[in-house]
Amino acid sequence: GAVVSQHPSWVICKSGTSVKIECRSLDFQATTMFWYRQFPKQSLMLMATSNEGSKATYEQGVEKDKFLINHASLTLSTLTVTSAHPEDSSFYICSAREGLVSYEQYFGPGTRLTVT
Amino acid sequence: AQSVTQLGSHVSVSEGALVLLRCNYSSSVPPYLFWYVQYPNQGLQLLLKYTTGATLVKGINGFEAEFKKSETSFHLTKPSAHMSDAAEYFCAVSLSGGYNKLIFGAGTRLAVHP
């Protein structure tokens, strides 16, 4: 149980285009989902927290107009990187939590984004 | 504010040797503590967690960690390393109640050599 999937697993896009990454909880309802960014050989940096049906809460320094997060259902959250640039190339990982008082986050396998 | 410090960005051990990965935390309230493992190009897998109760917690793959409040530490150990343990390990902390965000340490890359 507690499986989180991400799609696509890797994507290459051209500079200036937008790309959408999906995060799905397959066997539970995710009240809260988190989006992280990980640079090579570095730790995970939380980008934003999203609760189903609410606007995402972005961490300081994360451009909300560039990284659009939608959490429209209890099993799906999307991250859209708008007008992507090479510096947006990174590994993006989502996690999901069941319930508002649950502490455990279940992580997706990650999406490798390369912007050329 | 909470923070996590992992001492040693790289640790190398021989197969069969003891694994010790160090984690110290800073928190103004009782923390929830986690260890995750990440294999190349994959997401994170929970190894073990401490919330309340017994301070020595056992996780998957033979790993265990001990919460020491007086030392603000949560070091990860395994008695005998296996080649398959080679990976990146992250220590993380969240406020008790746990529904707050996770704060990750910088990570420790474990290498296991024959």
Side-chain angles (χ1 to χ4, degrees), chain B residues 3 7 26 28 53 61 86 111 113:
Chain B
S3 65
L7 296 176
S26 171
S28 57
N61 301 340
H113 51 86

Side-chain angles (χ1 to χ4, degrees), chain B residues 54-70:
Chain B
T55 57
L56 180 63
V57 293
K58 295 184 183 298
I60 63 172
N61 301 340
F63 284 94
E64 62 182 37
E66 186 172 11
F67 170 60
K68 292 187 176 181
K69 183 178 178 180
S70 61

